[in-house]
Amino acid sequence: MKNKAFTYLLIVVVAVIWYQVFLRIKSNVAASDEGNLALSQQNLKFVLIQKDTFLLDASYRDPFIGKAKLEPSDLPVQETISPSYVPAKPQFTWPTINYYGWVRKTDSKNPLCIVNIDGMLLYLRKGEEIFDGIRVMAVERDFIQLKKGKNQHYFYRE
């Protein structure tokens, strides 16, 4: 008898707690719908902020030489002559390449290397060409040698 009364008391307490939880959930859901309506009916005012400009005072002492810098008006004026020059060819930059190793049969002399180039996992053999003219020159256990034009680079296993 004693245990039944205690069990019924616990059932009532759990029911009251769940009732409060459901009321809070209901109030949060109902409040969010009304809040959106109130926000859409408000008139918003935008304030434009103007840019603030300033000049830096660069007439401080140079900490390395020990002399004060010259003012722009004190600098000698030189005529700018645009020399005729040939623009340098852009240097080739290698994509992100990770070499994971090789797979080969015991009797094979041409292993298959596993390479990740810019997020693409590729399985390559010696002599194969990848996009943009990158060619596999050598495949070893610890490194792979790639060549593009005159640029040659070794990528080591991770």
Side-chain angles (χ1 to χ4, degrees), residues 9-23:
L9 177 65
L10 287 177
I11 289 173
V12 170
V13 170
V14 169
V16 169
I17 291 173
W18 278 107
Y19 178 73
Q20 289 179 353
V21 168
F22 286 127
L23 283 180

Side-chain angles (χ1 to χ4, degrees), residues 43-51:
N43 292 332
L44 299 175
K45 294 181 182 179
F46 295 102
V47 177
L48 295 177
I49 300 173
Q50 294 180 353
K51 279 189 173 180

Side-chain angles (χ1 to χ4, degrees), residues 64-83:
F64 300 106
I65 300 175
K67 299 177 183 176
K69 287 188 177 183
L70 297 174
E71 293 292 327
S73 60
D74 298 339
L75 294 174
V77 178
Q78 296 178 355
E79 294 181 16
T80 57
I81 301 172
S82 60

